[in-house]
Amino acid sequence: MKNKYIKRRGHIYAVVRKPESVEHLSPTSVLHEVHKEYALQLKQHSNGLIGTDITPPGKLKFSSLGGGLVFNGTGAAIRGPEFEDILNRCRHERGYYLAPESARGGGYYYRPRDVDPVRQLALTVFPAHAHALIALESAGKTSARVINGLISDLRAVFVQETPYEPLAFSVHPEESMLHIHLCYSVVDERHNLLHEGNQLGQPAKNFLGMGRIGTLRLVEFGLWPESDAVDIRDTIRRKLRQFGSVPIDWRLHETLDGHLEAYFRASRDPKVTLAYEVALEAYRKHVQVVRATRPDVLIEANANLRDQLDRANARLKAPQGLQVVESPAQAIKLLDDITDLIMQLSARKVPPAHLLYAADHVVPVVTGGWRVSPQLVRIADAFCANPQYAQHATDLAEALSEANTTAEVTSQAFRERNLQLDQISSICEKLEEAEARIDVLEGELRDLTPTEAIQLLQGIVQMLPLLFHRKEVPEKLGFATEYVVPDRTGGWRIAPALMLMVSRIISDPDNANMVEELRHALSEAVSTAQATSRAKEQKRDRNDQQPRR
């Protein structure tokens, strides 16, 4: 009969039973490479379902860590084969523990019982921390020293909080999210069980679980509502009363987060702190997208939209407080007052008291401005179509046309104003991005040789006309896009960091033989940038002078 209790994959608390499990834990093994590719495929598939992904392209995200790092139980760095040998030797040599048994004549004796001695805990780095480390790696800042300090802290907490013996640590940087496997033994060298267990040697599990830890982390970092953590905090308090300590997996993740948070927040290098802030904001947006796809959130949002629709339909079907329009003359007077009211509102003036009643007959437009209410338009059309009021039809149609025209003109003005604000906001965002790029470039251009600087300036000269004509920049010139920034005219200018670097190279006596060529290349690049900016400005002036249709 098939066992109805099917073991789920992905538990952070796991027994290491087979050689394949040991090989998976070793980041240098062939089997681990296969599993890594499979994990990346699953990650790509899940991101496609959600519609968001903040993982940078490419497989080798941590070049300074290679394919991964391994450490022994004391925290010293070792090689992959040594890591596998430690775990396999423990599996074979400590495969049983001595359990006390009562003897018939009194007293007791020890009986060997089989047990799987090697266990492992998977500790995942918080995504914002991991992506900040990836960004720093791409800027040339190694993560190895951070990982070494992290392993030392995790080992100290594990030894202090548990009776188990740490065997080894394995750092997996390339499959899905950066994580660490803490491998430990529940049996010592004398075959004593290191915890109080049942007859099978199984301990009472003081673990919180990866799902609860993930939610609680999001709440702790302010990315998730506190209401989702109420039950989790109750679970931690219950386990604290039961075991006398918080769950060990949560305690280790707290240590991990605290170590990395201190590294990013207390760093004297502003680029480290900036990389973390950018990664945290990107992860915040990612979390919002993920949360919006949850069924309960979608149901709640759908219910709110239905309530808004019902309220809007109720207002359309049963308007309250509107003045009753009983004659064409009254409708003409109301439309004239609506025209005056819209003009007052568009000029941002307080309307006179005698016009306030007309506000019930105008409705706001989503893009800004107002329009005559559909009820009043239907009433005016009915009066115009009624032969009884033929003598008022012309005046009524003119009053309605004037009110609609005034409303349309003000709405168009609001739309143009909003478009201008959007353009200004877009320009400001581009300027901020350019300033951020300038800050990065100031630290990246120090090692340019005169020849490299000349090649870079020549590439900019070739690339700027392509940008002006909105043509695709070839891959061989793509590097030059990082060294130009947009200006306020809509054109481009040479990045100040590059200008500063070229001036330093020119002033260096060792580069005297290259000065003329450098000055010529710089002059040509600056002239090209100024020419494209002037062309952009002239094009915009011509567009502004053309009459609007």
Side-chain angles (χ1 to χ4, degrees), residues 13 180 195 212 250 282 292 316 398 413 474 486 488 521 547:
Y13 167 83
I180 301 170
H195 58 250
R212 293 192 184 100
W250 171 239
L316 290 174
E398 290 179 355
R488 297 185 182 276

Side-chain angles (χ1 to χ4, degrees), residues 30-96:
V30 176
L31 183 62
H32 180 266
E33 283 295 322
V34 176
H35 291 173
K36 182 174 71 174
E37 290 294 330
Y38 180 63
L40 291 173
Q41 293 175 10
L42 290 179
K43 178 69 174 178
Q44 185 178 5
H45 176 68
S46 63
N47 286 333
L49 294 177
I50 297 173
T52 179
D53 183 17
I54 61 171
T55 303
K59 297 178 181 179
L60 194 61
K61 299 173 290 188
F62 293 89
S63 56
S64 67
L65 304 184
L69 301 177
V70 285
F71 303 84
N72 61 17
T74 63
I78 56 176
R79 295 182 298 107
E82 295 179 63
F83 171 85
E84 296 180 36
D85 182 60
I86 291 173
L87 298 190
N88 285 324
R89 189 168 64 251
C90 182
R91 286 178 50 248
H92 295 306
E93 295 178 357
R94 306 186 191 183
Y96 67 93

Side-chain angles (χ1 to χ4, degrees), residues 9-27:
R9 299 182 63 184
H11 286 180
I12 65 168
Y13 167 83
V15 179
V16 183
R17 287 193 176 93
K18 302 178 181 179
E20 292 82 1
S21 301
V22 175
E23 197 174 352
H24 165 78
L25 292 173
S26 176

Side-chain angles (χ1 to χ4, degrees), residues 12 78 83 122 180-181 206 227 307 333 337 352 355 358-359 471 483 509 513 515:
I12 65 168
I78 56 176
F83 171 85
I180 301 170
H181 291 279
N206 186 15
S227 57
D307 290 342
K333 173 69 167 56
D337 289 342
L355 295 179
K471 294 182 179 180
Y483 302 97
N513 58 331
V515 168

Side-chain angles (χ1 to χ4, degrees), residues 515-540:
V515 168
E516 289 300 325
E517 191 174 356
L518 263 171
R519 285 178 176 170
H520 176 73
L522 179 61
S523 175
E524 189 177 3
V526 172
S527 300
T528 305
Q530 292 174 348
T532 55
S533 295
R534 284 195 300 270
K536 278 279 186 180
E537 191 170 6
Q538 293 170 0
K539 184 177 180 180
R540 188 177 67 248

Side-chain angles (χ1 to χ4, degrees), residues 411-423:
S411 298
Q412 179 64 26
F414 271 100
R415 285 195 292 270
E416 292 178 355
R417 177 175 173 272
N418 291 336
L419 181 60
Q420 292 174 355
L421 291 176
D422 291 341
Q423 291 175 347

